[in-house]
Amino acid sequence: MIYKTTLPFLRLSTSSSILEDENGSSVGRIQRYYSNKKQKLMNYLFDNMVNNVHAYDEDNNLLVDIKEINTIKTLVTEKWHVQIGQDQFVCEKKTKIKTNPQFLYKKDNEEIWIKKDFADKAVRFTLNGQIIAEAVPDGLIPPKSNHITFKIFDSRFEVHEIASLYYVFSLKNS
């Protein structure tokens, strides 16, 4: 399945990004949000410190809620709670080298790696060495790089989950 979206030009923006299928029909939207005014202020002062993302279906029902965990321990290793319906999972930043960012998303006893290689614009989601999804920007610099194409190869994963995880990944690595 192939989906497209256009992310906001400004990183701190809370405007919605419409998710469209191959036919150009809306299947939902993703949106960055702040839980309170303190988080918004922290983001302005400390450059993108808090990254929370919601994903909604076409009927505006909340499907995915990704909320950053902000504690003393997570200042070194950033972590997020990923809530899909009643299920809760964890995603954490595992980047050792800035040129090869990577996240580890733990879902149902499975480890999904979200990686971007040096000089490669595609972000790949892999499970047991197999690519389950790909997010490919149209270009290298804005505004083209804000146009994202999602390719999902595994039917166990929905575009809302992949798109919201990619959005957090791109916010932390841009």
Side-chain angles (χ1 to χ4, degrees):
M1 295 297 293
I2 296 175
Y3 301 91
K4 292 183 180 271
T5 193
T6 301
L7 298 177
F9 181 71
L10 300 173
R11 270 193 331 182
L12 298 176
S13 174
T14 57
S15 60
S16 294
S17 297
I18 305 298
L19 293 168
E20 298 175 342
D21 63 10
E22 300 173 65
N23 304 322
S25 302
S26 174
V27 294
R29 64 185 177 90
I30 56 175
Q31 178 180 19
R32 180 184 191 157
Y33 75 96
Y34 301 104
S35 296
N36 52 46
K37 289 182 181 180
K38 190 167 87 172
Q39 281 189 351
K40 191 170 187 176
L41 179 65
M42 283 175 41
N43 248 16
Y44 283 115
L45 295 176
F46 298 110
D47 188 37
N48 210 25
M49 185 174 181
V50 179
N51 295 287
N52 303 325
V53 175
H54 278 159
Y56 299 92
D57 65 8
E58 60 275 359
D59 297 324
N60 217 24
N61 298 317
L62 180 64
L63 297 178
V64 180
D65 181 12
I66 300 178
K67 191 175 287 188
E68 188 155 2
I69 304 167
N70 289 312
T71 63
I72 299 297
K73 289 181 182 179
T74 60
L75 288 175
V76 177
T77 304
E78 296 165 301
K79 290 185 180 184
W80 293 265
H81 284 298
V82 179
Q83 186 166 347
I84 303 171
Q86 300 301 318
D87 300 325
Q88 192 155 338
F89 311 108
V90 175
C91 182
E92 61 184 273
K93 190 172 184 177
K94 292 288 192 176
T95 302
K96 291 186 169 88
I97 301 171
K98 185 84 171 153
T99 56
N100 289 48
Q102 45 188 311
F103 281 13
L104 177 60
Y105 174 47
K106 295 179 182 177
K107 179 181 180 184
D108 296 330
N109 297 323
E110 296 180 321
E111 294 185 346
I112 298 149
W113 286 94
I114 305 168
K115 296 181 181 182
K116 181 176 184 234
D117 291 327
F118 180 69
D120 186 4
K121 62 183 182 176
V123 174
R124 291 183 178 83
F125 294 71
T126 58
L127 172 65
N128 300 327
Q130 299 285 3
I131 297 173
I132 58 169
E134 230 176 29
V136 184
D138 287 352
L140 294 173
I141 57 173
K144 287 273 190 190
S145 65
N146 291 14
H147 298 272
I148 313 298
T149 301
F150 297 102
K151 298 174 185 172
I152 300 176
F153 306 114
D154 191 328
S155 61
R156 294 178 291 172
F157 298 93
E158 293 288 325
V159 66
H160 303 91
E161 178 181 12
I162 298 296
S164 54
L165 285 166
Y166 172 78
Y167 196 12
V168 171
F169 184 86
S170 69
L171 287 170
K172 289 312 271 188
N173 295 304
S174 58

